[in-house]
Amino acid sequence: MWGLISGSKPAPATTPATPSPAPASEAEEPQNDGSRLATFITILRKFIGVPDLASVRFSLPSQLLEPTPNLEYWNYLDSPNAFVAIGTADDPVDRMLEVLRFWFTKDLKYAKGKPCKPYNSCLGEFFRCNWETEDDAPKIDTRTFREPTPPGSSSGSSTKSTKSTKSGKLAVPAGLGSSDARTASTVSISQTSSNPAKPVRVSYLTEQTSHHPPVSAFYIDCPEKGIHAKGFDQITAKFTGTSIKVMPGEHNLGIFITVDRRDHETYQLTHPAAHLGGIFRGALSVTVGDMCYITCPETKLKAILRYYDDGWLGRTTNKVEGIIFRYDPENDDKQQIASVPEEDILVRLGGPWKEKIVFTVGSKPLNSHPPENQITIIDIAPQRRPQVLLPVEQQLPNESLQLWSKVTEAILAKQYSKATTVKQELEEAQREKAREREKNNETWKPVFFEQATDKAGKPALTEKGREVLNRAQKGEWNLEGIL
């Protein structure tokens, strides 16, 4: 369905993978933004009251599409250096903070981009790529802050008193973020260099596993750091008359991150609902106003994030507040921040999620801490780390960039009629394959994943899927012997 992307194009890949645009002489006069929006609104009005726009799979004119395959677009590694840092800390609370740091970086395209509509995925379509990133995320170590208050000291704070600097400001413990005094209050990641000195390789594989409902499975692997993530991507969407509400589908239970070197502790990160608004003002924007949960049964730690979309007089705030607290995995009944006992709260955090988020240690309200005790967990930057794509000649016909290459070529050349025709031919070919399977009483099965969907939300790789990722880790893209 609708997504967000930084600028009008995805982050450039390090290996060209799309055809060159057709001659400009054949280009058609493109619609301006106002005309495109009017066309979009006309189409949307037909779906007022439809329970789920995503399941309708309606076809938009090519001039309304972003020339990006859906499977290429939907990934969570806008900042892969935040992902590979998960599991670095020895302390469980600090590892939860590492997961939260990744969470706030996974959608930089949401924070800094504009709404767009990628291509709908075809059944059996797949996408694969690598990221080369530095392992340069600042260390998180809050244990000094969390040492028990000595007997007889003030009980007004759950943190230990630490030494002050000559300026009277509280000194940040050694090992927390940068050692530079000017940046000691931040553990935010920086933009990875385009040519990492000591690159860590992250491999990615995703496949469209279901068409009705539209579901894709994904797997992210970084053997060097002993970490992997997986899940199903599926959304539901409803047009309310003034905005589009986008929610996780029934098979989308979030992102599951497993840290192998920490006794395989697993974090489940659930997705909040979002709204695409500003449709009738001609200024499309996305807001989030929902709850998000991150749980780790092995460490018995849970994070609750509460997103706020509307403020005074309906102005968007884009604020988020959250806590990390101890919970009982066998009795997980705390769904609201207010319902968590103060003595269980270990960390509080908050701020505008499109800009900068800070955290403080202990149960005291965030704003009761002086600024020097408010540690920046993420300072959003507009840059996104490009993917490493395989050469065009090694892509198979049903790989996303190859499958949609003619549509992309036509859109980039502003040949919208041609793009629409090619797109419709692809869609009709998919319908014909579906009719053929039904006629022969055949059930389609994914190639790289064991199942099309899973009630637990955790896709399992097939032997072929594992081998594709193994080769990707070696920088090998040939699928000979696999397909």
Side-chain angles (χ1 to χ4, degrees):
M1 191 54 198
W2 280 86
L4 298 162
I5 199 161
S6 182
S8 60
K9 296 180 182 179
T14 56
T15 302
T18 54
S20 302
S25 59
E26 301 177 23
E28 303 168 19
E29 187 67 28
Q31 287 184 308
N32 59 38
D33 288 343
S35 298
R36 293 178 69 187
L37 189 60
T39 302
F40 176 54
I41 292 173
T42 299
I43 295 172
L44 273 184
R45 281 176 172 157
K46 299 177 182 178
F47 294 96
I48 294 178
V50 174
D52 184 8
L53 288 175
S55 65
V56 176
R57 304 284 287 188
F58 61 92
S59 181
L60 286 175
S62 60
Q63 59 265 39
L64 296 183
L65 296 174
E66 187 70 24
T68 305
N70 191 52
L71 295 185
E72 178 191 15
Y73 175 78
W74 282 114
N75 69 75
Y76 302 106
L77 293 193
D78 288 345
S79 289
N81 50 343
F83 177 75
V84 301
I86 295 173
T88 300
D90 292 328
D91 184 81
V93 175
D94 295 333
R95 292 201 294 276
M96 177 62 84
L97 283 167
E98 290 171 344
V99 173
L100 281 163
R101 179 170 58 186
F102 160 74
W103 172 263
F104 292 123
T105 65
K106 74 179 182 62
D107 289 318
L108 290 180
K109 49 186 171 288
Y110 284 98
K112 298 297 181 181
K114 68 174 186 178
C116 78
K117 174 65 175 72
Y119 310 136
N120 287 338
S121 301
C122 296
L123 188 65
E125 177 184 340
F126 72 101
F127 175 78
R128 53 191 170 128
C129 70
N130 283 340
W131 280 270
E132 306 286 347
T133 183
E134 293 277 14
D135 183 14
D136 59 358
K139 180 181 179 182
I140 299 178
D141 186 350
T142 62
R143 287 175 293 184
T144 301
F145 278 122
R146 291 184 285 109
E147 289 179 10
T149 303
S153 62
S154 172
S155 60
S157 170
S158 61
T159 63
K160 180 185 177 182
S161 174
T162 57
K163 295 181 180 179
S164 297
T165 62
K166 292 181 179 180
S167 65
K169 293 184 177 181
L170 190 66
V172 176
L176 179 58
S178 171
S179 58
D180 186 334
R182 293 168 298 177
T183 58
S185 60
T186 180
V187 291
S188 179
I189 54 95
S190 59
Q191 180 63 21
T192 296
S193 166
S194 57
N195 294 299
K198 296 180 180 180
V200 174
R201 178 170 289 168
V202 183
S203 297
Y204 179 72
L205 175 65
T206 181
E207 180 180 15
Q208 189 72 14
T209 56
S210 173
H211 192 65
H212 295 291
V215 180
S216 60
F218 69 88
Y219 199 100
I220 306 168
D221 196 24
C222 184
E224 181 179 340
K225 300 294 291 183
I227 183 173
H228 67 266
K230 58 186 177 182
F232 288 102
D233 280 327
Q234 178 201 9
I235 62 170
T236 62
K238 184 175 182 179
F239 181 48
T240 65
T242 58
S243 66
I244 299 175
K245 183 178 182 180
V246 181
M247 301 157 288
E250 63 174 311
H251 302 293
N252 185 343
L253 301 185
I255 306 170
F256 294 85
I257 300 175
T258 299
V259 185
D260 298 323
R261 66 184 185 279
R262 298 291 178 182
D263 294 325
H264 304 281
E265 65 185 29
T266 298
Y267 299 81
Q268 180 180 5
L269 300 72
T270 66
H271 299 290
H275 285 85
L276 175 66
I279 295 173
F280 295 103
R281 297 195 309 270
L284 296 178
S285 62
V286 168
T287 59
V288 180
D290 198 7
M291 308 295 293
C292 162
Y293 306 97
I294 301 176
T295 53
C296 181
E298 292 81 8
T299 62
K300 297 184 178 180
L301 293 177
K302 178 176 180 177
I304 298 179
L305 299 177
R306 174 70 170 95
Y307 287 85
Y308 298 91
D309 52 359
D310 291 328
W312 181 247
L313 297 178
R315 294 176 181 173
T316 299
T317 64
N318 291 318
K319 294 288 183 65
V320 62
E321 69 168 327
I323 59 173
I324 298 174
F325 65 100
R326 304 181 188 90
Y327 87 114
D328 180 2
E330 302 299 323
N331 184 30
D332 184 9
D333 59 349
K334 302 295 187 295
Q335 306 301 315
Q336 301 291 330
I337 293 175
S339 65
V340 179
E342 280 207 16
E343 59 267 25
D344 290 336
I345 297 176
L346 302 169
V347 172
R348 288 189 183 271
L349 64 155
W353 63 270
K354 290 188 177 183
E355 298 172 28
K356 183 172 75 171
I357 298 168
V358 300
F359 73 90
T360 56
V361 178
S363 61
K364 289 174 60 179
L366 188 73
N367 292 334
S368 70
H369 291 260
E372 59 268 23
N373 279 12
Q374 297 180 16
I375 304 160
T376 300
I377 190 170
I378 184 65
D379 192 350
I380 298 298
Q383 299 92 349
R384 295 166 55 205
R385 185 78 184 104
Q387 304 150 332
V388 178
L389 302 175
L390 58 157
V392 175
E393 61 272 15
Q394 290 190 267
Q395 296 176 28
L396 298 185
N398 61 328
E399 293 202 54
S400 295
L401 296 176
Q402 190 66 253
L403 181 66
W404 295 98
S405 61
K406 297 299 182 184
V407 180
T408 299
E409 178 182 347
I411 291 177
L412 293 178
K414 299 179 181 178
Q415 299 172 345
Y416 300 114
S417 296
K418 178 180 178 181
T420 299
T421 298
V422 176
K423 177 173 170 289
Q424 290 173 342
E425 289 173 351
L426 281 172
E427 293 167 344
E428 179 54 35
Q430 290 299 305
R431 287 189 282 267
E432 178 58 34
K433 290 178 181 178
R435 288 190 289 266
E436 192 68 22
R437 286 194 299 271
E438 184 177 4
K439 176 182 176 182
N440 297 327
N441 196 28
E442 296 176 350
T443 300
W444 185 87
K445 293 182 179 180
V447 175
F448 305 113
F449 294 89
E450 292 285 357
Q451 63 280 78
T453 60
D454 177 67
K455 290 183 179 179
K458 301 177 182 179
L461 290 169
T462 60
E463 285 294 334
K464 292 182 178 180
R466 282 190 287 271
E467 182 58 27
V468 168
L469 287 171
N470 287 339
R471 293 188 186 183
Q473 273 293 304
K474 301 173 185 177
E476 299 174 2
W477 301 111
N478 193 313
L479 295 185
E480 185 177 350
I482 300 177
L483 298 178

